[in-house]
Amino acid sequence: MSTETFEFQVEARQLLQLMIHSVYSNKDVFLRELVSNASDALDKLRLAKLRDDTLDADVSDLHIELEADREARTLTVRDNGIGMSYDEVGELIGTIANSGTAQFLKELKEAQDAAGAEGLIGQFGVGFYSGFMVADEVTLVTRKAGEKQGTRWSSRGEGTYTLERVDDAPQGTSVVLHLKPADPDNQLHDYTSVWKIKEIV
């Protein structure tokens, strides 16, 4: 399958830079945001199946998995929920115009403290980007329920992202974070640690 490279919109680039050079004292928020997104995906699939019982999707064992690989320094958040189509990935993640990013950036500048800033992440639906607080690269693989082909999205947060169609994607979405080195002085914990993951989730 061919891989296409796209540029983030200006607002998206601003947001990525904000996350990469994060001033947030509590970077743990990223994992709560990704788990919350995965939970929403499960709920959306349940609802879709109720509305259309001909939908070719298994809803008998909906769940979220967290998988840490200490050697590879990756953390994966995986769900078997509704998933996204190729076009939806481009729209929802590539442009983020739909998630109120401009308003988010405006309110973030006005937030007087780190706690107030952290509260804004979930409010504006930009939780996915919080992964760049702790990761040098983020890879997302997704397949929309009822569709045969999946999509892989990847970015190092440097202004561009790649999209490609894949044939072997399971239903749902997995987000793989290629973690930065742990740096306790900057509140960057070892997110391959099982106890740290349990503490957050």
Side-chain angles (χ1 to χ4, degrees):
M1 299 289 169
S2 63
T3 302
E4 294 183 86
T5 300
F6 300 88
E7 286 195 7
F8 285 105
Q9 284 187 336
V10 173
E11 289 177 355
R13 284 202 298 271
Q14 290 176 327
L15 182 59
L16 280 168
Q17 289 308 304
L18 183 74
M19 293 301 179
I20 291 165
H21 307 290
S22 173
V23 293
Y24 298 130
S25 59
N26 183 9
K27 294 179 173 58
D28 296 356
V29 67
F30 86 92
L31 188 53
R32 287 191 282 270
E33 288 298 322
L34 292 179
V35 169
S36 175
N37 288 354
S39 179
D40 288 347
L42 300 184
D43 291 341
K44 286 176 180 174
L45 180 57
R46 278 192 200 96
L47 196 57
K49 187 71 171 176
L50 282 172
R51 288 178 174 159
D52 179 9
D53 61 6
T54 64
L55 180 65
D56 181 19
D58 183 9
V59 295
S60 63
D61 180 32
L62 297 180
H63 60 274
I64 300 167
E65 295 175 46
L66 301 180
E67 182 183 313
D69 185 328
R70 183 158 270 180
E71 285 187 21
R73 287 210 53 74
T74 59
L75 176 63
T76 302
V77 180
R78 184 182 297 112
D79 70 72
N80 59 348
I82 191 74
M84 289 177 279
S85 67
Y86 183 91
D87 289 341
E88 285 171 336
V89 172
E91 286 170 25
L92 297 173
I93 299 180
T95 64
I96 57 175
N98 302 332
S99 61
T101 312
Q103 183 67 17
F104 170 80
L105 292 169
K106 177 175 176 287
E107 295 203 18
L108 191 63
K109 287 174 185 169
E110 294 169 1
Q112 296 301 305
D113 56 22
E118 284 166 15
L120 290 173
I121 290 181
Q123 184 181 335
F124 283 94
V126 293
F128 173 78
Y129 294 90
S130 64
F132 285 97
M133 291 193 291
V134 300
D136 290 322
E137 183 176 0
V138 178
T139 301
L140 174 146
V141 177
T142 186
R143 178 170 63 81
K144 188 164 187 174
E147 295 191 358
K148 301 298 182 193
Q149 197 168 53
T151 303
R152 179 182 288 112
W153 177 101
S154 187
S155 179
R156 297 186 63 83
E158 296 169 347
T160 64
Y161 62 93
T162 61
L163 270 180
E164 82 180 288
R165 299 180 196 273
V166 292
D167 291 328
D168 55 350
Q171 172 190 300
T173 301
S174 67
V175 179
V176 182
L177 304 169
H178 302 267
L179 297 167
K180 298 174 182 177
D183 183 0
D185 291 344
N186 289 313
Q187 298 295 307
L188 190 57
H189 303 291
D190 180 5
Y191 296 107
T192 65
S193 164
V194 173
W195 73 262
K196 182 61 185 175
I197 292 169
K198 286 182 176 177
E199 178 189 52
I200 301 170
V201 177

